[in-house]
Amino acid sequence: MPPHLRATAVAVAAVTGLALTAPPAQAATGQSAVVTTDCTSGRIQETVVNNTSTATTFTLTWQGQGTWTANVAPGDRAHFHFTKPSGTAYTFRTTTPQGFDQTNSGVLDCSDALTVRATMDCASPHRLRLVLDNRSESTRKFTVAWPGRAYSPWTVDVPARSGDNSLYWTVPDGTPYTFNVSSGAWSKTISGTSGCGLDSGEPGMNSQTVLTTSTVIDGLGKAAKSIRIPGLAVTNDGTIVAVMDARVDGSYDLGGGTNNIQIAMTRSTDGGATFSTPKIIAKPAKTSQGYGDPSLLVDRETGKIFCFFTYAPAPGVGFWGSKPGDTSENSTTNTHITYITSTDNGATWSDPVDLNPDVRKPDYAGMFASSGHGIQLDSGRLVQPIVYSDASGSHAANIYSDDHGATWRNGTTAGTGVNESKAIQRGTGRVAQNMRHNAGGDRHYAMADDVTSPFGATWKSGLIDPGNNGDEISHLLPRPGTPSLTDVALHSNTADTSRTDLTVRLSRDDGASWPHHALVKPGASGYSTMAVLPGGDVAVLHEIGDTGGIVFTRLSIPWLEN
């Protein structure tokens, strides 16, 4: 089938990927092409990168299949992808008028696209668990043997392009294990010692639920009927701060039902081993008013934490029930972007600051802060993604501050027909916007020199996505001072056509390819957000539906690359 044109980083898990080295001319021209294969979505993909100062046209020819072109702006990217069955051989020749000429050949081989990883459930009691991942095109029977263990071996049927984590063992920490896992001709042996903490020899992922619909929340005095929308940050001293919606009366979004939504927080000062009792850190004056969709942003230069959220002044006044016109702080006809701050690593928080007069334009109807987190650029600029709607539809954009949050201004629009997004600064210094598309299907991207510069055309990435709020971050340690630049990036989302199979991916080439991935949560999952911990491990905070709770997961880079 024809590929989707326009794009950016191939944000997909390359289970059996190729990343072929281009000829020496690549470095001279600043143009490149990277081909990967993705068994998650059954796609062969190519990302073309134009790191030159002039626009160019990349032409991809697949003999016997066709020829396609992509016009790529200076410093931008484009993407081709083809959905094909396992066993499809390809030869791509990619050229530009400037003399770039590269040929890549390979095969999409998903016949044994299988993995197994050991993890730990770190709530009481600790459990050793296996995650089985089947990205082949048919159901596979996994046989799991633990030599010497009672009832071994076990068998599990895992559907095509799906995962399973139903096998677990409640064993004391320090228990040695060896699993011999096989399915047909495929096999793998993994060994280690059970325990939480990601120490050497232990499983490389820990998980625990930090808030459920049975948890009594301080400041609310009871449990909320729905817990959703995670936000996550790690402060300069290593404190982990996790925020989320406490939807008191039901699973509705802001403006729906009674509109009684408040911001809950829990935090950890021991690297995620334990978390504090959840408490409400922001609630409006009336239960008919709602605060929701939290997002955290740490100013690395000052250490101050910003928690952005959206204020819905009355039932019926949510994103879709808002009206344009009134930009005042007292408006009751539309949503407001609001924030609170902490200067003691989340222990205490300020009163809310309303940004309606500063960032709401008269033609905006709905407006909200995109949940999860914002970023700080290497210039020191603070950036918080937002969503707004007007007569032409919904749009992803950003607000920014150059004075450590004293004032906030609107950046340029990153895309239309999209909504929740994350901004990430590439190793080149440019900003990529990773966006949820209204129609679902794939993540969409756009790039700009800065959030105040025009973004290029929005393009379809080839990363399968059901229409969910995912995440993309730079792998930068949480240290005081202006952030640096890196070409190492991480991506999380529910990598399926439904909100299932939460997957984390790793790129070491500025998002041009994603050759490493791990299935973090098979089955039902939802919104996710990430942060880097002081030692370089990765924290993931995600939801499980409306009532499944908020889960904190910590994983190591070697486990992800295994």
Side-chain angles (χ1 to χ4, degrees):
M1 63 181 286
H4 296 282
L5 301 184
R6 300 191 185 280
T8 181
V10 183
V12 292
V15 178
T16 56
L18 295 175
L20 303 185
T21 302
Q26 173 183 337
T29 64
Q31 298 167 351
S32 61
V34 178
V35 179
T36 58
T37 55
D38 171 37
C39 292
T40 301
S41 53
R43 290 170 174 173
I44 307 166
Q45 303 159 92
E46 178 172 278
T47 299
V48 291
V49 181
N50 178 27
N51 282 333
T52 72
S53 59
T54 58
T56 192
T57 299
F58 285 84
T59 300
L60 184 151
T61 300
W62 185 355
Q63 190 171 5
Q65 297 286 330
T67 298
W68 301 269
T69 61
N71 298 318
V72 185
D76 216 332
R77 303 176 179 194
H79 180 80
F80 307 88
H81 73 260
F82 308 82
T83 301
K84 295 291 183 179
S86 179
T88 299
Y90 64 89
T91 296
F92 294 160
R93 183 184 179 191
T94 309
T95 61
T96 68
Q98 291 77 28
F100 177 79
D101 192 336
Q102 178 177 313
T103 298
N104 298 74
S105 297
V107 177
L108 174 64
D109 183 5
C110 299
S111 57
D112 277 331
L114 312 175
T115 60
V116 58
R117 288 181 173 89
T119 75
M120 289 293 298
D121 297 339
C122 292
S124 181
H126 288 190
R127 288 173 172 170
L128 174 65
R129 189 181 294 272
L130 288 184
V131 177
L132 305 172
D133 190 8
N134 172 23
R135 295 299 143 184
S136 73
E137 295 175 341
S138 61
T139 296
R140 297 293 292 263
K141 183 183 292 293
F142 287 79
T143 299
V144 177
W146 185 349
R149 189 76 182 177
Y151 308 111
S152 173
W154 302 267
T155 60
V156 180
D157 290 326
V158 182
R161 292 182 180 155
S162 186
D164 181 274
N165 65 348
S166 61
L167 288 178
Y168 66 86
W169 298 264
T170 303
V171 295
D173 288 357
T175 300
Y177 61 84
T178 296
F179 294 111
N180 299 317
V181 186
S182 61
S183 179
W186 175 87
S187 65
K188 186 172 183 179
T189 298
I190 54 175
S191 299
T193 303
S194 67
C196 291
L198 307 189
D199 291 333
S200 177
E202 291 181 346
M205 186 176 85
N206 298 167
S207 296
Q208 59 180 306
T209 301
V210 297
L211 184 57
T212 74
T213 53
S214 299
T215 307
V216 175
I217 303 172
D218 281 358
L220 182 61
K222 60 181 180 180
K225 292 184 178 179
S226 176
I227 302 293
R228 284 205 59 201
I229 321 296
L232 184 65
V234 177
T235 68
N236 285 349
D237 78 338
T239 299
I240 299 168
V241 181
V243 292
M244 63 284 295
D245 278 11
R247 301 186 170 191
V248 180
D249 299 323
S251 61
Y252 45 77
D253 292 336
L254 283 168
T258 64
N259 196 36
N260 187 3
I261 301 176
Q262 303 175 25
I263 305 299
M265 181 207 70
T266 179
R267 64 189 194 121
S268 173
T269 58
D270 56 13
T274 61
F275 281 83
S276 64
T277 300
K279 67 177 183 179
I280 297 298
I281 60 169
K283 63 180 180 180
K286 301 177 181 178
T287 57
S288 60
Q289 301 168 330
Y291 283 168
D293 293 335
S295 176
L296 294 172
L297 173 55
V298 179
D299 185 336
R300 297 292 170 199
E301 296 180 89
T302 67
K304 180 182 286 188
I305 313 170
F306 295 81
C307 179
F308 291 88
F309 50 88
T310 304
Y311 166 53
V317 186
F319 181 67
W320 297 113
S322 290
K323 298 178 181 178
D326 192 344
T327 63
S328 72
E329 183 176 342
N330 299 317
S331 170
T332 59
T333 57
N334 50 46
T335 52
H336 303 225
I337 292 176
T338 307
Y339 71 85
I340 55 177
T341 60
S342 173
T343 57
D344 54 11
N345 302 304
T348 60
W349 295 85
S350 71
D351 291 333
V353 176
D354 192 297
L355 288 179
N356 233 30
D358 302 293
V359 302
R360 169 174 283 282
K361 297 182 180 181
D363 59 334
Y364 286 8
M367 180 181 71
F368 67 93
S370 187
S371 65
H373 63 80
I375 64 170
Q376 187 169 27
L377 303 181
D378 69 325
S379 64
R381 172 171 284 174
L382 302 175
V383 176
Q384 169 59 44
I386 69 167
V387 182
Y388 72 92
S389 66
D390 58 19
S392 63
S394 65
H395 314 272
N398 299 285
I399 58 174
Y400 70 93
S401 175
D402 289 328
D403 52 15
H404 302 290
T407 59
W408 293 88
R409 297 178 175 85
N410 293 86
T412 53
T413 298
T416 296
V418 293
N419 52 88
E420 291 159 322
S421 71
K422 297 294 190 300
I424 179 171
Q425 189 172 30
R426 298 294 186 204
T428 60
R430 303 191 81 222
V431 174
Q433 204 85 10
N434 180 326
M435 298 173 284
R436 169 185 173 180
H437 197 271
N438 292 346
D442 289 72
R443 304 298 296 183
H444 282 59
Y445 281 86
M447 294 187 74
D449 289 337
D450 197 281
V451 296
T452 58
S453 305
F455 277 81
T458 300
W459 31 261
K460 195 174 186 178
S461 70
L463 168 61
I464 190 170
D465 186 77
N468 198 12
N469 194 8
D471 197 8
E472 187 170 343
I473 62 172
S474 298
H475 189 265
L476 294 172
L477 298 182
R479 293 173 174 170
T482 304
S484 58
L485 297 175
T486 180
D487 61 2
V488 181
L490 294 128
H491 191 287
S492 70
N493 82 317
T494 47
D496 205 336
T497 56
S498 61
R499 292 186 179 183
T500 59
D501 289 357
L502 183 71
T503 299
V504 174
R505 302 169 176 84
L506 174 70
S507 171
R508 293 190 179 276
D509 57 7
D510 235 3
S513 65
W514 302 82
H516 303 288
H517 89 289
L519 179 60
V520 171
K521 171 56 176 69
S525 49
Y527 281 28
S528 63
T529 186
M530 297 183 291
V532 180
L533 297 170
D537 294 332
V538 180
V540 185
L541 193 70
H542 73 91
E543 64 181 21
I544 303 177
D546 294 330
T547 59
I550 299 293
V551 178
F552 174 83
T553 295
R554 176 183 169 186
L555 58 90
S556 70
I557 294 296
W559 182 88
L560 179 57
E561 292 181 307
N562 183 22

